[in-house]
Each structure stands twice: as structure tokens, then as C-alpha cells.
């Protein structure tokens, strides 16, 4: 219900929040070393879908340099998520978490009051 009534700005925030949730779960599992690797895989794939959706919805015409920079960050995030899933290492997940968290915070500040 929250999704159907949310503004476009809030929907993007919700995507970031879900990505962060998935990153936290995957990181926790991978940091344990012998955790539920199926769960980590599921969460990493879900986060990849979210990042891909955020990337394809960038408006390069109106967004200019910001859109170009976000595109590069999203590409890097996707590469790190694939690496984490292939190697079952937590560090790439931690790095992506930091990037997504920063972008989310900037997004929330930029859209405050919309």
C-alpha cells in the first residue's frame, strides 16, 4: 500500500532503503564465512536488480554530470556485487553499502519537501 501511494521521490528512497537492507543481510551472512550462502545470493541478486533499475532510470539529458557520475557509481556497485557473489567475500558488499548509503542520504536531502 505504501508503494502505491508514494511520490516518485519517496519510491526512490524506498529502493535505496531496500538495497541497504539487502546489503546488510548479505554482508552479515558473508562475514560469518559459513552462513546461509543461498540467502546471501538471493539478497545480492535483489540488490543488483535495484541498482540496475536505478541506473536505467537515470535521465542523462536533464541530469547532466550528476547522472553520468551516478551511472559510473552504479556500474561500479554492480561489479562489486557480482564479485562478492562469486567470491563469497563480505568486503565488496561493505564498500557498496557505503556508496549506496551516501547516495541515499544525498537523495533524501535533495528531495526534502517534495
Amino acid at each position: 500500500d505504501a508503494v502505491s501511494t508514494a511520490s516518485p521521490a519517496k519510491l526512490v528512497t524506498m529502493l535505496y532503503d531496500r538495497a541497504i537492507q539487502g546489503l546488510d543481510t548479505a554482508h552479515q551472512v558473508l562475514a560469518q564465512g559459513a552462513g546461509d550462502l543461498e540467502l546471501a545470493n538471493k539478497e545480492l541478486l535483489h540488490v543488483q536488480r535495484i541498482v540496475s533499475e536505478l541506473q536505467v532510470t537515470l535521465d542523462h539529458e536533464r541530469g547532466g554530470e550528476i547522472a553520468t557520475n551516478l551511472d559510473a557509481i552504479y556500474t561500479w556497485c554492480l561489479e562489486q556485487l557480482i564479485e562478492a557473489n562469486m567470491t563469497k567475500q563480505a568486503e565488496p558488499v561493505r564498500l557498496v553499502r557505503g556508496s549506496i548509503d551516501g547516495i541515499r542520504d544525498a537523495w533524501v536531502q535533495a528531495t526534502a519537501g517534495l
Side-chain angles (χ1 to χ4, degrees):
D1 196 38
V3 172
S4 64
T5 60
S7 69
K10 180 62 176 167
L11 287 173
V12 172
T13 302
M14 291 168 75
L15 286 173
Y16 285 127
D17 289 344
R18 179 56 182 93
I20 289 168
Q21 177 187 355
L23 290 165
D24 287 347
T25 300
H27 185 269
Q28 181 179 8
V29 169
L30 294 175
Q32 293 173 356
D36 186 350
L37 295 179
E38 186 176 329
L39 174 61
N41 176 63
K42 177 184 160 205
E43 291 298 330
L44 289 171
L45 291 175
H46 193 226
V47 174
Q48 286 175 24
R49 287 190 299 273
I50 291 170
V51 171
S52 293
E53 182 63 26
L54 291 166
Q55 187 172 34
V56 299
T57 59
L58 289 171
D59 185 342
H60 288 273
E61 195 171 300
R62 290 178 30 196
E65 187 178 344
I66 293 172
T68 299
N69 291 340
L70 282 172
D71 188 51
I73 293 168
Y74 290 151
T75 296
W76 175 83
C77 286
L78 290 169
E79 291 167 356
Q80 294 300 304
L81 293 168
I82 291 166
E83 178 72 18
N85 215 354
M86 289 175 48
T87 64
K88 306 305 181 210
Q89 297 295 313
E91 182 62 12
V93 179
R94 185 188 68 77
L95 295 172
V96 171
R97 170 63 156 86
S99 293
I100 296 296
D101 200 39
I103 296 167
R104 182 219 180 267
D105 289 348
W107 176 259
V108 169
Q109 287 179 4
T111 60
L114 293 182

